[in-house]
Structures are given as structure tokens and as C-alpha cells.
Amino acid sequence: MEKIRFIDLDRIGSKNIGYLTSLEGNKNIPFNINRVYYIYDVPRDIKRGFHAHKNLEQVLICVSGSVKVKCFDGKEEKIYSLNKPNEGLYIGPMVWREIYDYSENTVLMVLASELYNEDDYIRDYDEFVKLYNLGLNIDCKDYFIHQNAIVDTDKIGKNTRIWAFSHLFKNSIIGENCNICEHVLVENDVIIGNNVTIKSGVYIWDGVRIGDNVFIGPSVSFINDRNPRSKVYPEKFKNTVIEQGVSIGANSTIMCDISIGRYATIGAGSVVLKDILPYEIVVGNPARVIGYNCRCTKKLIFDYENISVCECGLKYTIIDNIVQEVI
Ligand code: T46
């Protein structure tokens, strides 16, 4: 099934008496219709959209006037003109859309498969592109789910394994070749890259972003609210970004609204309250820097010229306590 396509809708009637078009979920509309909204009185020079949806399916019908819809499905960009009340444009999940050129009398009606849910939106273009780079655009069923896991998402890359008693929520996104061990919970607004290992007893809450090749040890705790109160919810949870190649030791606690730089190592039991820079090794509560490591995990020793060459051949320099690879 194509991700973007026109749907011809029947017209009942004639020129003399006028026309009627009827829309029925799971019949001429290829999903159960849970929401209908319409957009109107849009000034001509205004562009809307600029987002994709992780799971939502929609049919756009220009019931009056005309409008253009530019879609990018991760591979190609195409412009669709809508100007007939008996023509729908189906747009599936993971399509970036921009809607523009609204004529004066345009009414754009949209039928949606789900109720409004801001967590389903990807409003950041870079994040959208990253999801494609993770290979998550594929309709891939080439992964393993243990029969005792609850997996509500199908955005899972190939060769990923999800073990017993784990629960992955519907909008979560998991890359290729990951190992999600027993007793792991993954909420909706979570993105996990490729080659990630998540050991048992880890709960990954809304707002956590995990890059490629990350290791998360057993019982690591993430926090997504600095000032929690029971039954009081922020509009959006703060993001926590774990960059590629990071290793987090068992039982560590990671505060939200921080990032852990690439290839950093967090010692077991650390409590990380602020940003960690790339290649840093941190331990303790609150976590403090005790050194630097190579991508390969060996400790880096810098000479008087601030250069370190690891046994594995990679070379680094350190300037103002910030480590950089020398290429
Ligand atoms: C799409 C195009 C054609 C709601 O409260 N309920 C809703 O059902 C929707 C769709 C939106 N909103 C709120 C969320 C925003 O604060 O209305 C505001 C504007 O929504 P948005 O920025 O999403 O509007 P558009 O015109 O950019 O995009 C909308 C749909 O979101 C999108 O899926 O394809 O219309």
C-alpha cells in the first residue's frame, strides 16, 4: 500500500440536482475514522504543516477551493494539488508535509485515524531525517518479539530482539539490531537508535532519545520531571539525549534536560545531574569527571602537548577540558 496516494470518492447525483459524497471508515476511507477537523480562512501566503506523524493516517479532502500539499516520504518529494471535493489524498505515517497556496475560499477537511495526540507529531525536520537514517521507514517485520513481551509499536528495525515481560508503547521507535532484555518499559515519546543494548529493569520514559551503539546497564533509572507532583503533568516532558556510543553502568540515575556526549562512560551507581561532555568518564553522586576514554573504552592519557594516541590507533586532543578526536 502506497504511503501517499489519491483516493477517488464517488459522487452521487447530477449537474441538475447537485452531488453528494459519502465517507465511510474502512470502506472508501482506508481506516477507522476517529477524528475529523477542517482548516479554513488561511491567508494565501501562509504555509502550514511542517511535520510528520509517527503513526497517524489521514485523508485530506479539499471540499472547497484549492490547496497544494508537498510531501516527502524519506525518499522523494512530490507536490499534490487538491481542488475537488470528490478526491482525497491519503497520507500514511512518517511523511513530512507542507501545505500552502490556500485559495480564498479553501476548506480543507481532514479525516484522521486517531484522536489528537501531540506525542505522535515529529515537528523537527532533523529528527524526521534521523529516523530515516535509522532505517525505520521500512515496513520491517524482521525482528524477534518474545511471546511474553507486550509490543504495541511496529516501528522496529530489523534484527532487533525484544525479550519477555518488556512493554513497548505504541509510538515508541526502536532501531535495527537492538537487544531489549527482559523487564524493560519504553514509553511513547522515546526514540532508540541502532545497535543499542538495554539490560533488564530499565524504564525509559517520554522524552528520552538514545543514539546508536549505546549500552544501558541493568536497572538504570531515567527521570523526566525535575519537580514531580502526583497527577500534575507538564505540557511536554523534558528531553534527555544519550549520544552515540555512550555506556551507562548499572543502577545509575540520569536526570532529564541534559545530554550525555558521545562515547562517555557513566560508572555504575552514578547520579548524573548535568551535561556530560564527549569521552568523559564520570562516577559518583553527583557524578564527577575522573578521566577520559577512547571510543574503544581504554583510558586516554594526554601528553604535554595535549595529545593522546590510544592503543587502538585513534588520536585525541584536549583543549579546555574538552576532548576531540584528531582525524
Ligand atoms: C495535517 C494538516 C493538514 C488540535 O487541538 N486538535 C487537532 O485535531 C489538530 C489537528 C490540531 N490541534 C491544535 C494543535 C496546534 O496547537 O491546533 C493547532 C494547529 O495544529 P497544527 O500545527 O498541527 O496544524 P497544521 O495545519 O499545521 O497541520 C494539521 C494537522 O496537524 C496535520 O496532521 O496533515 O493539518
PDB file of all heavy atoms in Angstrom, residues 44 72 92 119 135 157 171 224 280 303 322:
ATOM      1  N   ARG A  44      -3.330  33.491   1.886  1.00  0.00           N
ATOM      2  CA  ARG A  44      -2.662  32.853   0.751  1.00  0.00           C
ATOM      3  C   ARG A  44      -1.169  32.627   0.992  1.00  0.00           C
ATOM      4  O   ARG A  44      -0.594  31.625   0.567  1.00  0.00           O
ATOM      5  CB  ARG A  44      -2.870  33.725  -0.496  1.00  0.00           C
ATOM      6  CG  ARG A  44      -2.326  33.098  -1.751  1.00  0.00           C
ATOM      7  CD  ARG A  44      -3.373  32.974  -2.833  1.00  0.00           C
ATOM      8  NE  ARG A  44      -3.134  31.770  -3.614  1.00  0.00           N
ATOM      9  CZ  ARG A  44      -3.961  31.294  -4.489  1.00  0.00           C
ATOM     10  NH1 ARG A  44      -5.121  31.854  -4.702  1.00  0.00           N
ATOM     11  NH2 ARG A  44      -3.660  30.210  -5.174  1.00  0.00           N
ATOM     12  N   PHE A  72       7.123  14.603   1.581  1.00  0.00           N
ATOM     13  CA  PHE A  72       8.430  13.966   1.471  1.00  0.00           C
ATOM     14  C   PHE A  72       8.358  12.675   2.282  1.00  0.00           C
ATOM     15  O   PHE A  72       8.123  12.696   3.491  1.00  0.00           O
ATOM     16  CB  PHE A  72       9.513  14.902   2.005  1.00  0.00           C
ATOM     17  CG  PHE A  72      10.883  14.287   2.018  1.00  0.00           C
ATOM     18  CD1 PHE A  72      11.420  13.728   0.867  1.00  0.00           C
ATOM     19  CD2 PHE A  72      11.639  14.256   3.181  1.00  0.00           C
ATOM     20  CE1 PHE A  72      12.681  13.150   0.875  1.00  0.00           C
ATOM     21  CE2 PHE A  72      12.900  13.689   3.198  1.00  0.00           C
ATOM     22  CZ  PHE A  72      13.421  13.132   2.039  1.00  0.00           C
ATOM     23  N   GLY A  92      -0.014   8.429   4.806  1.00  0.00           N
ATOM     24  CA  GLY A  92       0.260   7.460   5.874  1.00  0.00           C
ATOM     25  C   GLY A  92       1.276   8.006   6.876  1.00  0.00           C
ATOM     26  O   GLY A  92       1.690   9.164   6.813  1.00  0.00           O
ATOM     27  N   ASP A 119       2.077  13.810  20.988  1.00  0.00           N
ATOM     28  CA  ASP A 119       3.229  12.898  21.024  1.00  0.00           C
ATOM     29  C   ASP A 119       3.450  12.182  19.694  1.00  0.00           C
ATOM     30  O   ASP A 119       4.516  11.609  19.460  1.00  0.00           O
ATOM     31  CB  ASP A 119       3.032  11.807  22.093  1.00  0.00           C
ATOM     32  CG  ASP A 119       3.283  12.340  23.478  1.00  0.00           C
ATOM     33  OD1 ASP A 119       3.796  13.472  23.589  1.00  0.00           O
ATOM     34  OD2 ASP A 119       2.948  11.634  24.442  1.00  0.00           O
ATOM     35  N   GLY A 135      16.841   3.712   9.454  1.00  0.00           N
ATOM     36  CA  GLY A 135      16.247   2.589   8.733  1.00  0.00           C
ATOM     37  C   GLY A 135      14.841   2.269   9.221  1.00  0.00           C
ATOM     38  O   GLY A 135      14.349   1.162   9.042  1.00  0.00           O
ATOM     39  N   GLY A 157      13.334  -1.731  13.916  1.00  0.00           N
ATOM     40  CA  GLY A 157      14.247  -2.069  12.833  1.00  0.00           C
ATOM     41  C   GLY A 157      14.570  -3.566  12.812  1.00  0.00           C
ATOM     42  O   GLY A 157      14.327  -4.286  13.782  1.00  0.00           O
ATOM     43  N   ASN A 171       3.823   4.449  20.265  1.00  0.00           N
ATOM     44  CA  ASN A 171       4.538   5.440  19.441  1.00  0.00           C
ATOM     45  C   ASN A 171       6.053   5.374  19.603  1.00  0.00           C
ATOM     46  O   ASN A 171       6.765   6.227  19.076  1.00  0.00           O
ATOM     47  CB  ASN A 171       4.068   6.861  19.773  1.00  0.00           C
ATOM     48  CG  ASN A 171       2.641   7.083  19.334  1.00  0.00           C
ATOM     49  OD1 ASN A 171       2.145   6.375  18.468  1.00  0.00           O
ATOM     50  ND2 ASN A 171       1.972   8.046  19.925  1.00  0.00           N
ATOM     51  N   ASN A 224      12.204  12.087  34.056  1.00  0.00           N
ATOM     52  CA  ASN A 224      11.792  13.052  33.028  1.00  0.00           C
ATOM     53  C   ASN A 224      11.040  14.247  33.594  1.00  0.00           C
ATOM     54  O   ASN A 224      10.434  15.015  32.859  1.00  0.00           O
ATOM     55  CB  ASN A 224      11.027  12.389  31.882  1.00  0.00           C
ATOM     56  CG  ASN A 224       9.661  11.883  32.285  1.00  0.00           C
ATOM     57  OD1 ASN A 224       9.309  11.920  33.456  1.00  0.00           O
ATOM     58  ND2 ASN A 224       8.914  11.406  31.308  1.00  0.00           N
ATOM     59  N   GLU A 280      34.023  11.726  28.260  1.00  0.00           N
ATOM     60  CA  GLU A 280      34.285  11.835  29.701  1.00  0.00           C
ATOM     61  C   GLU A 280      33.930  10.528  30.412  1.00  0.00           C
ATOM     62  O   GLU A 280      32.975   9.828  30.036  1.00  0.00           O
ATOM     63  CB  GLU A 280      33.463  12.972  30.317  1.00  0.00           C
ATOM     64  CG  GLU A 280      34.034  14.348  29.982  1.00  0.00           C
ATOM     65  CD  GLU A 280      33.302  15.505  30.643  1.00  0.00           C
ATOM     66  OE1 GLU A 280      32.171  15.315  31.135  1.00  0.00           O
ATOM     67  OE2 GLU A 280      33.862  16.618  30.644  1.00  0.00           O
ATOM     68  N   ASP A 303      49.615  13.787  26.670  1.00  0.00           N
ATOM     69  CA  ASP A 303      50.993  14.211  26.883  1.00  0.00           C
ATOM     70  C   ASP A 303      51.058  15.730  27.068  1.00  0.00           C
ATOM     71  O   ASP A 303      50.025  16.408  27.080  1.00  0.00           O
ATOM     72  CB  ASP A 303      51.905  13.710  25.744  1.00  0.00           C
ATOM     73  CG  ASP A 303      51.512  14.330  24.394  1.00  0.00           C
ATOM     74  OD1 ASP A 303      50.799  15.363  24.381  1.00  0.00           O
ATOM     75  OD2 ASP A 303      51.914  13.778  23.356  1.00  0.00           O
ATOM     76  N   ILE A 322      38.025  19.802  26.972  1.00  0.00           N
ATOM     77  CA  ILE A 322      37.086  19.192  26.021  1.00  0.00           C
ATOM     78  C   ILE A 322      37.884  18.307  25.067  1.00  0.00           C
ATOM     79  O   ILE A 322      38.814  18.773  24.398  1.00  0.00           O
ATOM     80  CB  ILE A 322      36.299  20.265  25.232  1.00  0.00           C
ATOM     81  CG1 ILE A 322      35.495  21.113  26.219  1.00  0.00           C
ATOM     82  CG2 ILE A 322      35.389  19.628  24.193  1.00  0.00           C
ATOM     83  CD1 ILE A 322      34.788  22.289  25.598  1.00  0.00           C
TER      84      ILE A 322
END
